[in-house]
Amino acid sequence: MRVMLQITEDGKPHKAKWIYTGLAYAALLFAVTWAMIQPEITPRPELTLVLGVAAAVWLGAIVRWWPVWPRQRAWAVVAYLGLLALNVGLIASSDAFTAYVWIGFPYAFAIFPARWAVFAVTSNAVSTFVVQSGALQSSPFVVMVGVAGPVIFAGWVAGLESERREKAISQLTEANRRLASAMEENAGLHAQLLVQAREAGVLDERQRMAREIHDTLAQELAALIRQLHAANRVREQPEQWQHHMDQVRLMAERGLSEARRSVQALRPAQLEKSRLPEAIEELARNWSQASGVPVRVETTGTPEPMIPGIEVALFRVVQEALANIANHASAARAGITLSYSDDVVLLDVRDDGAGFDPGATGPGEDGGYGLGTMRQRLLGVGGTLEIESRPGEGTAIGASVPAIRAEGAP
């Protein structure tokens, strides 16, 4: 771990330098005074005094140009080597400076990173001990191998471990910063997705309402207008006129009911009270009575309840196909086949009417609905739509949807 007491966050020297310098001067003054009043431990007091003054000047230089690692790396090394040399000289001149040389320890950690601070501390401890004890003259090898070597090795290992931890902490800090940044970005994306989801929901609801209005109100109104025109042509024939007016009343009531159900996003009334094959038969029967075109309904396979979305889509496709036959085909007859299998449900609606060219029908030519509405409904439940038709040869519409059975169905 790097000791950073020497600087503040703005890069200026930390107040700790004043604390260290104050302690150093106090210890130096005490040691010099003690050395001067104890001649028995100070053989050469004049040399001791000169070294004390030099140490005071050197401390002033350090505090004046406080080393900031690593920008002032060279000055930091010089500053500490000078402090170390003066410590050795002072302890050699008088034992009184035992009270001062310890100042090299906090200065080491204040100036250097951890790994190098350990070497600085070791150098200060070993050098002052050797000089004070005189061991260097008597057993230099023992001092180097038995004292300095293990201390330096231990310091090196401790420095490596400290830097490893520092690196891990730095990486963890960076990871936390990136995580915080990612969380902020994700929060922004989440808010954006919520806005887009709301907009998409509004668009989906608009499309749903447009399809429902087309499949209910628009078709019922178109059929109602046809009945009114037909009634107008037989005004002189009371029975036929009454028949058409009865159809008008039934269509108006049915259209109103379907409009209400569409607004409430409910299933068509026929599907609420009947299964899909019976609902299609009822729809075809009512349509045949109104249009005068006979229609044959056939169901193959084993009918099973499907999820509501699939049954509604198939029902609306039949409804739209029959409306197109009444409006455009001029057909003499029509047929509907509903086929159940294990994997898919197939629907086929055909007529022998005027037919048309599917490739010539561009988007928007039917007001944006009709065939496009069928495709959208089927696409919403994973289905497909195929159209086979030629002018003068009738039309066949085929729908295919996955057989997703309703919950509880066998």
Side-chain angles (χ1 to χ4, degrees), residues 45 89 133 184 220 275 281 308 349 360 366:
S133 64
E184 291 180 2
E220 293 293 348
R275 300 175 67 180
E281 289 179 0
V349 183
D366 58 353

Side-chain angles (χ1 to χ4, degrees), residues 155-186:
W156 178 259
V157 172
L160 287 177
E161 178 64 16
S162 178
E163 288 200 352
R164 185 190 67 79
R165 292 183 179 181
E166 178 187 3
K167 184 177 180 180
I169 292 173
S170 177
Q171 292 176 345
L172 181 60
T173 302
E174 178 64 16
N176 288 337
R177 185 192 65 78
R178 292 180 180 178
L179 178 60
S181 177
M183 291 178 65
E184 291 180 2
E185 183 178 356
N186 288 340

Side-chain angles (χ1 to χ4, degrees), residues 14-366:
H14 194 277
K15 65 180 181 180
K17 74 170 185 176
W18 302 110
I19 298 175
Y20 291 162
T21 304
L23 290 174
Y25 274 117
L28 180 61
L29 179 60
F30 174 79
V32 170
T33 303
W34 187 15
M36 292 299 101
I37 64 176
Q38 296 289 333
E40 64 275 10
I41 62 173
T42 309
R44 301 176 61 183
E46 64 283 356
L47 176 61
T48 300
L49 187 59
V50 170
L51 289 174
V53 172
V57 172
W58 194 251
L59 289 174
I62 292 178
V63 74
R64 173 63 178 83
W65 295 285
W66 185 265
V68 179
W69 192 275
R71 295 201 306 272
Q72 300 178 19
R73 182 177 303 176
W75 164 233
V77 174
V78 171
Y80 195 79
L81 287 176
L83 181 66
L84 180 61
L86 289 168
N87 284 355
V88 170
L90 288 169
I91 198 68
S93 68
S94 175
D95 290 341
F97 287 95
T98 303
Y100 167 72
V101 294
W102 61 267
I103 199 65
F105 301 152
Y107 266 81
F109 285 102
I111 292 176
F112 297 108
R115 182 189 300 183
W116 305 112
V118 170
F119 282 104
V121 167
T122 303
S123 300
N124 187 79
V126 171
S127 61
T128 54
F129 166 76
V130 169
V131 171
Q132 188 177 26
S133 64
L136 187 61
Q137 289 78 13
S138 60
S139 304
F141 180 78
V142 173
V143 171
M144 296 300 298
V145 176
V147 179
V151 172
I152 292 175
F153 177 75
W156 178 259
V157 172
L160 287 177
E161 178 64 16
S162 178
E163 288 200 352
R164 185 190 67 79
R165 292 183 179 181
E166 178 187 3
K167 184 177 180 180
I169 292 173
S170 177
Q171 292 176 345
L172 181 60
T173 302
E174 178 64 16
N176 288 337
R177 185 192 65 78
R178 292 180 180 178
L179 178 60
S181 177
M183 291 178 65
E184 291 180 2
E185 183 178 356
N186 288 340
L189 291 175
H190 180 67
Q192 183 178 355
L193 288 175
L194 287 178
V195 173
Q196 293 177 350
R198 285 195 292 267
E199 292 176 351
V202 171
L203 180 60
D204 289 344
E205 181 62 15
R206 288 176 179 173
Q207 292 178 345
R208 185 192 72 82
M209 289 301 301
R211 289 193 298 266
E212 294 297 329
I213 290 173
H214 174 265
D215 289 341
T216 56
L217 284 179
Q219 290 183 6
E220 293 293 348
L221 289 174
L224 189 148
I225 291 172
R226 288 197 306 271
Q227 291 295 328
L228 289 175
H229 284 308
N232 189 54
R233 289 194 298 269
V234 294
R235 295 175 64 181
E236 304 301 328
Q237 303 177 29
E239 292 184 1
Q240 294 188 20
W241 180 86
Q242 185 61 46
H243 170 74
H244 289 302
M245 295 307 296
D246 290 341
Q247 290 296 318
V248 167
R249 179 180 57 80
L250 291 173
M251 290 178 181
E253 293 175 350
R254 190 165 56 236
L256 178 60
S257 175
E258 284 299 305
R260 289 172 176 169
R261 301 182 70 84
S262 297
V263 170
Q264 299 174 11
L266 299 177
R267 300 174 69 186
Q270 294 92 330
L271 288 176
E272 289 290 344
K273 59 184 180 181
S274 305
R275 300 175 67 180
L276 180 61
E278 290 78 11
I280 291 177
E281 289 179 0
E282 180 184 354
L283 174 65
R285 184 167 54 252
N286 293 334
W287 177 84
S288 180
Q289 292 177 356
S291 65
V293 179
V295 56
R296 179 183 177 185
V297 180
E298 181 181 5
T299 301
T300 64
T302 303
E304 296 182 64
M306 300 291 141
I307 61 174
I310 287 178
E311 293 195 343
V312 170
L314 292 174
F315 182 85
R316 293 303 190 193
V317 167
V318 174
Q319 191 176 42
E320 175 64 27
L322 292 178
N324 288 340
I325 294 173
N327 292 333
H328 309 296
S330 301
R333 62 182 182 274
I336 303 172
T337 302
L338 182 64
S339 303
Y340 288 86
S341 66
D342 291 338
D343 300 324
V344 296
V345 179
L346 303 176
L347 174 68
D348 180 65
V349 183
R350 57 202 176 276
D351 66 79
D352 61 355
F356 66 100
D357 182 4
T361 302
E365 292 183 12
D366 58 353

